[in-house]
Amino acid sequence: MTPFKIEISEEVLQDLQKRLSLTRWPDNPEHDGWSYGTNANYLKELVSYWQEGYDWRKQETLLNSLPQFKAVIDDVEIHFVYVKGKGKNPKPLILTHGWPDSFFRYYKVIPMLADPEAYGGDPAQSFDVIVPSVPGFGFSSKTVKVEDEVAGIWLKLMKNELGYHTFYAAGGDVGSGITKALANQFPDAVKAIHLTDVGYPNGTEDWSTMSQAEQEFGQFIQQWWMSEGAYNMIQSTKPQSLGYGLNDSPVGLAAWIVEKFHAWSDHNGQIEKRFTKDELLTNIMIYWVTETISSSVRYYADNARVAYTAYGPKPVERVKAPTGVAAFPGDAPLPKEWAERMANVTRFTKMPKGGHFAPLSVPDEWVGEVRKFFFGSDIE
């Protein structure tokens, strides 16, 4: 475990500016909005700001204000943020991000969790906060590991590197799968988990046992995969072909990522209601400067090959650890019955606002719900 500081060379930044200036823009469908993908007018506005107003060095300083480290675990270099809580007996909490975000998903909530008193909270409800970059993402190694393997690495990070023999965990998107795997594989270590999504119907369920709400949710997800799931099919089958373009073109990378931040959030058509240009671009930059977009999308393919057999998808293991679930309105309409089917849910909350990237878009709401769960009466 060694301290780490983000220091991107001027050569990388100058190359980026050159590539942005040489962008070949495609034609723009008339009155397309966002129905064909990322809106051309908004993307051009974002890229113009990227060239003329965005200050990576300022964002680099912001990121480096968080104590960061690296450790080699199972021959994989892991980057992580580690902030000790300021209250008495803080609870160790490992947070796992998803795609297409990064450890940056949690940059707003890390100090809120570690020092609640500074944000008007109870100092007794503090956490030691650990936020690793998933292998293949950001400043971790480009080595791709499937979620069960990542869970094993997280256990060794918490126990061997940081000295926590029991701890708590939370995550969203890809991070939900890793967090569930962590709880299922290591029940003696993981005391409770918190999720913002719990997984989706995959055809292995007995529909006769499902409530009407669950069946409607399954129909919604089926329609959603047909209208919004093309990215998943590409990344789960032929990610390398996609990686060539995204790793070479910063505008292509931005378009691929911004589309998801737009589609998976509650903003009534105004993406900057939830994310600033700086936040969108800093998350994109983490992929760009580390050249990890290709390995991050390959994560989908490797997990799909493990999850599916010649006879179809494997049944999903239900989480036995106490589980808190926060369902945000900008995300899939998750019914409580489905959450309870997937996990031992001891707290389920329909949130008033926010979407798939809730810790970044509505940090106060996400932190408040996490505190209520981990310091509530349903877990130790």
Side-chain angles (χ1 to χ4, degrees), residues 167-198:
F167 53 90
Y168 303 85
D173 190 79
V174 164
S176 285
I178 293 170
T179 300
K180 290 192 299 179
L182 190 58
N184 283 334
Q185 290 187 70
F186 310 109
D188 293 337
V190 181
K191 301 181 74 172
I193 65 172
H194 189 273
L195 307 171
T196 53
D197 44 86
V198 299

Side-chain angles (χ1 to χ4, degrees), residues 279-290:
E279 288 171 347
L280 291 170
L281 289 172
T282 296
N283 182 67
I284 292 164
M285 284 288 288
I286 290 170
Y287 283 94
W288 181 259
V289 300
T290 59

Side-chain angles (χ1 to χ4, degrees), residues 141-157:
S141 167
K142 294 178 184 176
T143 304
V144 178
K145 296 290 184 180
V146 298
E147 61 184 27
D148 283 348
E149 293 173 321
V150 178
I153 291 173
W154 276 195
L155 180 76
K156 292 178 181 178
L157 171 64

Side-chain angles (χ1 to χ4, degrees), residues 34 261-275 329-330 352-355:
W34 290 75
F261 276 77
H262 180 274
W264 301 346
S265 302
D266 64 326
H267 49 64
N268 295 321
Q270 298 178 347
I271 189 172
E272 291 182 25
K273 180 181 178 181
R274 288 289 179 244
F275 314 102
K353 61 180 180 179

Side-chain angles (χ1 to χ4, degrees), residues 199-213:
Y200 308 105
N202 64 12
T204 62
E205 303 80 22
D206 181 355
W207 275 60
S208 67
T209 68
M210 296 172 70
S211 69
Q212 182 177 346

Side-chain angles (χ1 to χ4, degrees), residues 348-366:
F348 181 89
T349 306
K350 289 281 189 179
M351 302 299 291
K353 61 180 180 179
H356 201 65
F357 309 101
L360 184 59
S361 65
V362 287
D364 290 336
E365 286 75 10
W366 183 86

Side-chain angles (χ1 to χ4, degrees), residues 120-140:
D122 184 347
Q125 295 184 346
S126 68
F127 296 90
D128 289 347
V129 186
I130 302 92
V131 186
S133 294
V134 174
F137 291 72
F139 296 97
S140 285

